[in-house]
């Protein structure tokens, strides 16, 4: 019996390794009009909570692709602000990077303005199915729009 317990522990206890490489994406849906431009800090789970969407991405292929693209960013001397719509938190084995993206342009990496990368923006939008995001007013009252809960 003792050997069976040890065997079960080895099988199930060791196979639950958690990945320390994943992405957290917070985003407002497409084409949402807002009364002001949102800085990156506003796009988080505690601010705009009713209008915010969240997706965790932990598959290795997409993580590596985004991490590679993220490392290509070049700083720019432009000082224009951002109307942040998408915030990506990149967790990479203890190191954390933050990307903030506008809906179509303007990108910040760790608070520094960087050159926009359409490939990165398009990939992130594809991974979160951005264009098909259900607006918050429909999520709050789906029955009003003929959607069953």
């Amino acid at each position: 019996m003792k050997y069976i317990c040890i065997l079960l522990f080895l099988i199930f206890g060791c196979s639950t390794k958690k990945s320390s490489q994943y992405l957290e994406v917070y985003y407002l849906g497409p084409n949402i009009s807002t009364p002001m431009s949102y800085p990156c800090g506003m796009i988080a789970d505690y601010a705009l909570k009713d209008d915010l969407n969240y997706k965790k991405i932990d598959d290795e292929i997409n993580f590596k692709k985004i991490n590679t693209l993220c490392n290509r960013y070049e700083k720019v001397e432009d000082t224009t602000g951002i109307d942040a719509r998408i915030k990506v938190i990149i967790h990479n084995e203890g190191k954390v990077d933050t990307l903030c993206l506008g809906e179509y342009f303007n990108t910040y990496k760790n608070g520094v303005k960087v050159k926009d990368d359409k490939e990165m923006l398009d990939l992130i939008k594809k991974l979160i199915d951005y264009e098909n995001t259900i607006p918050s007013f429909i999520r709050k009252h789906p029955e009003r729009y003929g959607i069953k809960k």
Side-chain angles (χ1 to χ4, degrees):
M1 184 67 175
K2 182 168 105 175
Y3 294 111
I4 293 173
C5 290
I6 292 171
L7 183 62
L8 288 173
F9 173 75
L10 289 174
I11 291 171
F12 295 108
C14 295
S15 65
T16 58
K17 179 184 171 193
K18 287 189 176 181
S19 173
S20 59
Q21 295 182 321
Y22 61 95
L23 309 167
E24 291 184 283
V25 185
Y26 297 89
Y27 59 101
L28 293 170
N31 306 313
I32 300 277
S33 296
T34 56
M36 59 185 246
S37 295
Y38 293 123
C40 191
M42 291 284 291
I43 308 297
D45 58 348
Y46 56 89
L48 305 170
K49 65 181 178 183
D50 291 337
D51 296 319
L52 213 55
N53 300 284
Y54 172 81
K55 182 160 187 177
K56 181 177 180 179
I57 300 168
D58 58 4
D59 73 274
E60 189 175 345
I61 294 170
N62 285 312
F63 178 85
K64 284 183 178 180
K65 178 77 171 168
I66 287 178
N67 199 41
T68 299
L69 290 172
C70 185
N71 290 330
R72 289 191 333 195
Y73 278 122
E74 299 173 13
K75 181 180 174 183
V76 295
E77 296 301 321
D78 187 1
T79 59
T80 58
I82 186 172
D83 186 9
R85 298 302 174 132
I86 302 169
K87 181 177 185 176
V88 182
I89 303 172
I90 303 169
H91 298 270
N92 190 1
E93 298 179 4
K95 181 183 175 199
V96 177
D97 286 315
T98 302
L99 290 179
C100 283
L101 306 127
E103 189 165 2
Y104 302 106
F105 56 88
N106 281 339
T107 305
Y108 282 75
K109 178 182 176 185
N110 297 327
V112 176
K113 175 103 171 160
V114 293
K115 186 176 179 183
D116 291 329
D117 184 339
K118 183 168 175 23
E119 182 181 1
M120 173 72 96
L121 181 61
D122 290 346
L123 176 60
I124 291 169
K125 284 182 172 182
K126 179 181 170 193
L127 291 173
I128 61 176
D129 197 17
Y130 185 74
E131 295 303 323
N132 293 314
T133 301
I134 297 172
S136 62
F137 58 88
I138 293 176
R139 284 195 319 262
K140 288 178 194 173
H141 304 286
E143 66 283 351
R144 292 182 187 173
Y145 301 94
I147 300 170
K148 294 180 182 179
K149 281 190 175 182

